[in-house]
């Protein structure tokens, strides 16, 4: 299926059907991943859209057609990183739960607390560790593919993952206890 | 190993429940993608491999020719204009308060917000502390029902507290309330902007019973957090309808009005006030 993206004639004006298929299959998933990275759903949709346009524009340069999806994922991650970097200090920690957890009224209080606590801990991680955690635990990618997506070595992924887990365990233990301050 | 697995499951569950309820509209997005691809065939369109080198050579040739012919200035001007025209498309919209109005905590507090009954639970703030002014109406309209839902009572001894201090000289900017619902055994903390509401100020509220995890909420202009007080920590057991349970523990609660510039890595909220309430006698009481 992904291979068919390349098969589309470069000169056609309509969206190639193969890209549309890929789009329909992966759009929601990638949007959610981007939303976790950016903590903003509208922005996430924009980023994914941008990634798809890039992938379409780059279809002539893709050497390995089977890697169109990987290219797409990498594109989403890179776009999201750029946005985060550009946004930089505008970001307020207060916005974390606001933009992420919008429809949580239905969930029981305990579930909401748990969600809030864990996502907050994840979002406090350094960027590399956070991306690694998202790709590992949300996108369920194997380490090799994470390394591919983040453009780093498998060893780096492993070390980031173990650091992130240690950080998370510590943060969660803190917030499970009596709390950091009085 | 068991702990590791539990951590993995916790992370995985939280991440999934954070976004999996969100269903972006693929159909409308497909239309937008088609538009975007159509637009990308404009000046910025990059030709596929093979055609690219020829196109590049052609452009380079034109540039050389232009330089030789003394067209450097006009060409540069055109390039600059193109670059300037391209910039707006690269700028991302930053946070949009209209579409994310501080989460569901803010406007529609947790428990069923049904038709609000008559405001019989009007709060009485001591006039000595908060002399009402012509522009300070909003906080007089705060009621337990409006903020936390039906069944909540304002706890004795814990009247609204101004956040930036100086409650004696001027009305509070932001008020943090503690309420108690005897029927459901739920405590509720509400942080509300009292002056200049509707400014979208980030507010936070939190609640933490003894030996229990902290629960927090954020929102624009008002933040409301509900938390069931664990019944296991109530040796006294029963409580009368309008009195808090006599479990003898204490509860930490507070809020912030987020005026401080909190950086991303700094979770400390300035302007946060922390209060302790012992359910045993209803007084403010420092927790041991």
């Amino acid at each position: 299926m992904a291979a068919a993206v390349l098969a589309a004639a470069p000169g056609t004006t309509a969206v190639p059907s193969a890209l549309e298929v890929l789009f329909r299959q992966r759009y929601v998933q990638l949007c959610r991943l981007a939303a976790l990275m950016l903590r903003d759903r509208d922005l996430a949709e924009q980023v994914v859209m941008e990634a798809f346009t890039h992938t379409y524009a780059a279809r002539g340069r893709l050497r390995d057609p089977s890697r169109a999806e990987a290219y797409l994922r990498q594109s989403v991650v890179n776009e999201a990183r750029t946005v985060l970097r550009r946004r930089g200090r505008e970001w307020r920690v207060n916005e974390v739960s606001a933009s992420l957890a919008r429809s949580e009224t239905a969930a029981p209080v305990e579930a909401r607390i748990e969600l809030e606590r864990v996502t907050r801990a994840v979002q406090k991680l350094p960027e590399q560790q956070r991306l690694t955690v998202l790709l590992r635990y949300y996108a369920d990618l194997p380490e090799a593919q994470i390394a591919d997506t983040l453009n780093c070595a498998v060893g780096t992924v492993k070390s980031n993952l173990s650091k992130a887990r240690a950080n998370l365990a510590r943060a969660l233990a803190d917030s499970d206890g009596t709390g950091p301050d009085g | 190993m068991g702990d590791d697995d539990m951590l993995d499951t916790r992370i995985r569950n939280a991440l999934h429940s954070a976004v999996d309820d969100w269903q972006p509209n693929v159909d409308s997005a497909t239309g937008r993608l088609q538009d975007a691809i159509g637009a990308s065939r404009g000046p910025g369109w990059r030709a596929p491999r093979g055609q690219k080198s020829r196109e590049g050579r052609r452009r380079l040739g034109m540039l050389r020719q232009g330089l030789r012919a003394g067209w450097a200035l006009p060409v540069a001007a055109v390039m600059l204009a193109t670059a300037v025209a391209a910039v707006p498309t690269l700028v991302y919209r930053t946070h949009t308060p209209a579409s994310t109005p501080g989460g569901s905590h803010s406007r529609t507090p947790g428990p069923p917000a049904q038709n609000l009954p008559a405001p019989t639970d009007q709060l009485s703030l001591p006039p000595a502390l908060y002399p009402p002014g012509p522009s300070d109406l909003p906080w007089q309209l705060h009621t337990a029902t409006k903020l936390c839902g039906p069944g909540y009572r304002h706890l004795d001894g814990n009247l609204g507290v101004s956040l930036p201090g100086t409650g004696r000289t001027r009305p509070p900017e932001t008020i943090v309330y503690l309420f108690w619902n005897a029927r459901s055994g739920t405590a509720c903390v509400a942080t509300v902007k009292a002056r200049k509401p509707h400014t979208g100020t980030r507010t936070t509220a939190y609640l933490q019973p003894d030996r229990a995890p902290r629960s927090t909420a954020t929102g624009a202009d008002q933040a409301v957090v509900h938390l069931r007080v664990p019944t296991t920590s109530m040796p006294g057991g029963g409580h009368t309808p309008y009195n808090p349970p006599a479990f003898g523990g204490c509860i930490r609660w507070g809020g912030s009005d987020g005026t401080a510039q909190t950086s991303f890595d700094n979770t400390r909220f300035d302007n946060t006030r922390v209060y302790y309430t012992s359910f045993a006698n209803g007084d403010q009481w420092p927790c041991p």
Side-chain angles (χ1 to χ4, degrees):
Chain A
M1 182 273 309
V5 174
L6 285 202
T12 49
T13 38
V15 175
S17 59
L19 180 67
E20 198 176 319
V21 171
L22 185 63
F23 184 78
R24 283 189 175 277
Q25 281 196 347
R26 293 282 171 259
Y27 181 69
V28 172
Q29 240 177 320
L30 287 170
C31 276
R32 288 173 178 167
L33 181 65
L36 279 174
M37 279 179 212
L38 296 167
R39 292 149 279 177
D40 187 317
R41 295 182 176 185
D42 301 331
L43 211 48
E45 285 202 77
Q46 287 181 36
V47 160
V48 173
M49 191 60 76
E50 197 84 350
F52 267 99
T53 357
H54 282 173
T55 311
Y56 176 73
R59 71 197 185 287
R61 281 174 287 141
L62 274 171
R63 264 168 297 178
D64 187 356
S66 61
R67 285 177 38 78
E69 197 185 327
Y71 185 93
L72 192 58
R73 200 183 309 117
Q74 202 167 4
S75 189
V76 168
V77 171
N78 287 344
E79 279 293 320
R81 272 172 159 176
T82 313
V83 173
L84 283 178
R85 203 168 300 131
R86 197 176 296 151
R87 188 161 52 182
R89 302 182 120 205
E90 285 175 46
W91 179 252
R92 303 274 181 278
V93 74
N94 283 359
E95 292 176 33
V96 167
S97 56
S99 54
L100 251 188
R102 258 193 240 171
S103 58
E104 58 186 9
T105 16
V109 177
E110 289 79 10
R112 267 191 276 159
I113 298 166
E114 168 74 9
L115 168 68
E116 172 88 17
R117 199 178 301 141
V118 178
T119 46
R120 201 166 267 267
V122 169
Q123 277 149 11
K124 270 187 220 154
L125 293 174
E127 185 179 295
Q128 278 290 337
Q129 293 179 20
R130 195 160 52 83
L131 290 180
T132 316
V133 163
L134 292 182
L135 291 172
R136 180 74 193 89
Y137 290 109
Y138 185 72
D140 272 328
L141 294 181
E143 279 160 356
Q145 281 192 39
I146 299 177
D148 201 33
T149 308
L150 297 179
N151 204 7
C152 62
V154 177
T156 316
V157 171
K158 284 182 182 167
S159 100
N160 272 335
L161 207 54
S162 81
K163 277 184 213 158
R165 288 169 49 108
N167 284 340
L168 283 176
R170 205 177 319 120
L172 289 175
D174 276 356
S175 64
D176 286 347
T178 43
D181 54 337
Chain B
M1 193 61 211
D3 281 356
D4 285 359
D5 288 346
M6 219 177 78
L7 181 66
D8 287 357
T9 327
R10 261 183 99 175
I11 302 170
R12 200 165 274 133
N13 287 347
L15 291 180
H16 277 279
S17 61
V19 285
D20 275 359
D21 62 317
W22 178 41
Q23 204 64 44
N25 190 342
V26 186
D27 291 326
S28 78
T30 312
R32 271 181 283 139
L33 177 67
Q34 277 172 350
D35 293 348
I37 285 177
S40 74
R41 301 182 149 275
W45 166 248
R46 200 190 287 243
R49 207 178 190 181
Q51 297 171 25
K52 187 178 156 190
S53 51
R54 220 180 310 141
E55 173 72 12
R57 268 201 300 276
R58 199 175 64 81
R59 283 192 191 160
L60 199 64
M62 276 168 65
L63 190 63
R64 278 199 193 128
Q65 226 175 2
L67 281 173
R68 235 180 282 129
W71 290 351
L73 260 179
V75 166
V78 167
M79 282 167 72
L80 191 67
T82 321
V84 167
V87 161
T89 65
L90 297 176
V91 175
Y92 277 93
R93 218 151 35 87
T94 48
H95 193 67
T96 49
S99 57
T100 57
S104 52
H105 287 305
S106 56
R107 295 293 172 209
T108 49
Q114 299 127 354
N115 301 334
L116 299 178
T120 51
D121 50 357
Q122 185 82 35
L123 299 177
S124 54
L125 300 176
L129 274 181
Y130 310 118
S135 61
D136 306 321
L137 275 174
W139 60 261
Q140 296 174 324
L141 305 173
H142 298 160
T143 67
T145 308
K146 274 188 190 166
L147 292 175
C148 289
Y152 279 93
R153 301 290 294 192
H154 195 216
L155 272 193
D156 279 346
N158 292 282
L159 294 164
V161 185
S162 85
L163 267 176
T166 67
R168 251 168 237 287
T169 51
R170 62 193 176 103
E173 289 272 347
T174 306
I175 305 180
V176 189
Y177 295 110
L178 173 64
F179 300 102
W180 170 250
N181 186 335
R183 228 164 299 145
S184 61
T186 314
C188 171
V189 169
T191 305
V192 212
K193 278 285 282 184
R195 303 170 72 208
K196 300 177 192 157
H198 316 303
T199 45
T201 309
R202 290 274 150 207
T203 50
T204 69
Y206 84 87
L207 190 54
Q208 183 177 25
D210 235 357
R211 296 180 298 278
R214 169 178 296 203
S215 179
T216 57
T218 63
D221 285 333
Q222 74 179 41
V224 179
V225 57
H226 299 265
L227 189 66
R228 256 188 101 81
V229 177
T231 45
T232 48
S233 51
M234 294 184 209
H239 42 267
T240 56
Y242 294 121
N243 285 325
F247 75 94
C250 77
I251 195 166
R252 292 160 191 235
W253 58 285
S256 77
D257 65 356
T259 50
Q261 301 292 305
T262 41
S263 71
F264 178 51
D265 291 319
N266 185 3
T267 53
R268 185 173 58 87
F269 298 116
D270 290 356
N271 281 333
T272 302
R273 296 287 182 276
V274 181
Y275 299 97
Y276 308 98
T277 297
S278 162
F279 273 174
N281 56 13
D283 282 344
Q284 286 192 19
W285 188 263
C287 288

